[in-house]
Short mmCIF file of all heavy atoms in Angstrom, two decimals:
data_model
loop_
_atom_site.label_atom_id
_atom_site.label_comp_id
_atom_site.label_asym_id
_atom_site.label_seq_id
_atom_site.Cartn_x
_atom_site.Cartn_y
_atom_site.Cartn_z
N LYS A 15 5.16 9.95 4.69
CA LYS A 15 6.51 9.39 4.57
C LYS A 15 7.49 9.92 5.60
O LYS A 15 8.42 9.24 5.99
CB LYS A 15 7.06 9.68 3.16
CG LYS A 15 6.39 8.86 2.07
CD LYS A 15 7.38 8.62 0.92
CE LYS A 15 6.75 7.75 -0.16
NZ LYS A 15 5.86 8.53 -1.06
N GLY A 24 8.90 9.34 27.34
CA GLY A 24 8.94 9.90 28.69
C GLY A 24 9.18 11.39 28.71
O GLY A 24 9.60 11.99 27.70
N TYR A 35 3.97 11.79 27.97
CA TYR A 35 3.12 11.35 29.09
C TYR A 35 2.22 10.18 28.73
O TYR A 35 1.81 9.42 29.59
CB TYR A 35 2.27 12.52 29.62
CG TYR A 35 3.15 13.64 30.13
CD1 TYR A 35 3.43 14.75 29.33
CD2 TYR A 35 3.74 13.55 31.39
CE1 TYR A 35 4.27 15.76 29.79
CE2 TYR A 35 4.58 14.55 31.85
CZ TYR A 35 4.84 15.65 31.04
OH TYR A 35 5.67 16.63 31.49
N HIS A 50 -8.28 3.73 29.71
CA HIS A 50 -8.88 4.91 30.35
C HIS A 50 -9.30 5.94 29.30
O HIS A 50 -10.36 6.53 29.39
CB HIS A 50 -7.85 5.61 31.24
CG HIS A 50 -7.71 5.04 32.61
ND1 HIS A 50 -8.66 5.21 33.58
CD2 HIS A 50 -6.70 4.34 33.19
CE1 HIS A 50 -8.25 4.63 34.70
NE2 HIS A 50 -7.06 4.09 34.49
N ALA A 54 -9.72 8.72 20.05
CA ALA A 54 -10.24 8.53 18.69
C ALA A 54 -9.80 9.67 17.78
O ALA A 54 -9.66 10.82 18.21
CB ALA A 54 -11.76 8.45 18.71
N ASP A 64 -9.49 21.05 4.69
CA ASP A 64 -8.33 21.53 3.92
C ASP A 64 -7.84 22.90 4.37
O ASP A 64 -6.99 23.51 3.75
CB ASP A 64 -8.66 21.54 2.43
CG ASP A 64 -9.75 22.55 2.09
OD1 ASP A 64 -10.29 23.20 3.02
OD2 ASP A 64 -10.06 22.72 0.90
N THR A 66 -9.77 25.63 4.68
CA THR A 66 -10.58 26.74 4.17
C THR A 66 -11.18 27.55 5.32
O THR A 66 -11.62 26.97 6.31
CB THR A 66 -11.76 26.16 3.33
OG1 THR A 66 -11.21 25.37 2.28
CG2 THR A 66 -12.64 27.26 2.76
N GLU A 81 -5.40 13.08 -6.18
CA GLU A 81 -6.43 12.24 -6.79
C GLU A 81 -7.53 13.16 -7.33
O GLU A 81 -8.11 13.94 -6.59
CB GLU A 81 -7.05 11.30 -5.74
CG GLU A 81 -6.08 10.35 -5.07
CD GLU A 81 -5.55 9.27 -6.00
OE1 GLU A 81 -6.10 9.13 -7.12
OE2 GLU A 81 -4.57 8.59 -5.62
N ALA A 95 -5.97 7.38 6.45
CA ALA A 95 -6.52 7.40 7.81
C ALA A 95 -5.95 6.26 8.65
O ALA A 95 -5.58 6.45 9.81
CB ALA A 95 -8.05 7.29 7.76
N SER A 126 -24.67 4.26 -2.58
CA SER A 126 -23.79 3.23 -3.15
C SER A 126 -22.32 3.67 -3.05
O SER A 126 -21.44 2.83 -2.86
CB SER A 126 -24.24 2.81 -4.56
OG SER A 126 -23.61 3.58 -5.53
N LYS A 136 -14.03 -1.43 6.33
CA LYS A 136 -14.19 -2.61 7.18
C LYS A 136 -12.96 -3.52 7.09
O LYS A 136 -12.44 -4.03 8.10
CB LYS A 136 -15.44 -3.38 6.75
CG LYS A 136 -15.95 -4.33 7.79
CD LYS A 136 -17.27 -4.94 7.38
CE LYS A 136 -17.70 -6.00 8.38
NZ LYS A 136 -18.95 -6.64 7.99
N ASP A 184 -27.14 2.25 9.70
CA ASP A 184 -26.77 0.97 9.07
C ASP A 184 -25.26 0.80 8.98
O ASP A 184 -24.72 -0.24 9.35
CB ASP A 184 -27.32 0.90 7.62
CG ASP A 184 -28.81 0.60 7.57
OD1 ASP A 184 -29.34 0.05 8.56
OD2 ASP A 184 -29.44 0.91 6.54
N LEU A 239 -26.06 9.06 21.29
CA LEU A 239 -25.54 10.23 22.01
C LEU A 239 -26.02 11.52 21.35
O LEU A 239 -26.06 11.60 20.12
CB LEU A 239 -24.01 10.23 21.99
CG LEU A 239 -23.29 9.02 22.58
CD1 LEU A 239 -21.80 9.07 22.22
CD2 LEU A 239 -23.47 8.98 24.08
N GLN A 251 -28.97 27.10 19.04
CA GLN A 251 -29.13 25.66 18.78
C GLN A 251 -30.01 25.10 19.90
O GLN A 251 -29.79 25.40 21.08
CB GLN A 251 -27.76 24.98 18.82
CG GLN A 251 -26.75 25.49 17.80
CD GLN A 251 -26.75 24.70 16.51
OE1 GLN A 251 -26.71 25.27 15.43
NE2 GLN A 251 -26.83 23.40 16.62
N PHE A 254 -28.73 23.21 23.43
CA PHE A 254 -27.86 24.29 23.91
C PHE A 254 -26.70 23.79 24.79
O PHE A 254 -25.54 24.10 24.58
CB PHE A 254 -28.70 25.29 24.70
CG PHE A 254 -28.03 26.61 24.93
CD1 PHE A 254 -28.15 27.65 24.02
CD2 PHE A 254 -27.26 26.81 26.07
CE1 PHE A 254 -27.52 28.87 24.24
CE2 PHE A 254 -26.63 28.03 26.30
CZ PHE A 254 -26.75 29.05 25.38
N ALA A 258 -30.06 21.61 28.96
CA ALA A 258 -31.15 21.76 27.99
C ALA A 258 -31.45 20.42 27.32
O ALA A 258 -32.61 20.07 27.09
CB ALA A 258 -30.80 22.82 26.95
N ASN A 279 -15.10 22.76 23.70
CA ASN A 279 -15.30 24.09 23.13
C ASN A 279 -16.78 24.48 23.11
O ASN A 279 -17.13 25.66 23.18
CB ASN A 279 -14.71 24.13 21.71
CG ASN A 279 -14.34 25.53 21.23
OD1 ASN A 279 -13.64 25.68 20.24
ND2 ASN A 279 -14.79 26.57 21.90
N ASN A 299 -26.41 10.51 35.32
CA ASN A 299 -26.17 9.22 34.67
C ASN A 299 -26.27 9.31 33.15
O ASN A 299 -26.84 8.43 32.50
CB ASN A 299 -27.16 8.17 35.21
CG ASN A 299 -26.80 6.78 34.76
OD1 ASN A 299 -25.63 6.49 34.55
ND2 ASN A 299 -27.80 5.92 34.59
N THR A 317 -13.45 27.21 17.83
CA THR A 317 -12.15 27.18 17.14
C THR A 317 -11.59 25.76 17.04
O THR A 317 -10.66 25.52 16.29
CB THR A 317 -11.11 28.09 17.84
OG1 THR A 317 -10.91 27.62 19.18
CG2 THR A 317 -11.57 29.54 17.86
N GLN A 319 -9.58 23.83 18.71
CA GLN A 319 -8.12 23.66 18.80
C GLN A 319 -7.77 22.37 19.54
O GLN A 319 -8.57 21.87 20.34
CB GLN A 319 -7.51 24.87 19.52
CG GLN A 319 -7.50 26.10 18.64
CD GLN A 319 -7.30 27.39 19.41
OE1 GLN A 319 -8.16 28.28 19.36
NE2 GLN A 319 -6.19 27.52 20.10
N ILE A 403 -30.10 17.40 63.21
CA ILE A 403 -31.17 17.93 62.36
C ILE A 403 -30.83 17.81 60.86
O ILE A 403 -31.70 17.62 60.01
CB ILE A 403 -31.50 19.39 62.76
CG1 ILE A 403 -32.77 19.83 62.02
CG2 ILE A 403 -30.34 20.32 62.46
CD1 ILE A 403 -33.50 20.93 62.71
N ILE A 408 -32.07 15.09 55.49
CA ILE A 408 -31.70 14.15 54.41
C ILE A 408 -32.63 12.94 54.41
O ILE A 408 -33.02 12.44 53.36
CB ILE A 408 -30.23 13.67 54.59
CG1 ILE A 408 -29.27 14.86 54.61
CG2 ILE A 408 -29.83 12.66 53.52
CD1 ILE A 408 -29.24 15.68 53.35
#
Side-chain angles (χ1 to χ4, degrees):
K15 288 210 178 80
Y35 299 98
H50 276 288
D64 66 357
T66 302
E81 301 290 349
S126 92
K136 198 174 175 182
D184 283 339
L239 302 169
Q251 300 267 136
F254 195 90
N279 204 166
N299 190 30
T317 61
Q319 286 163 239
I403 189 156
I408 302 298

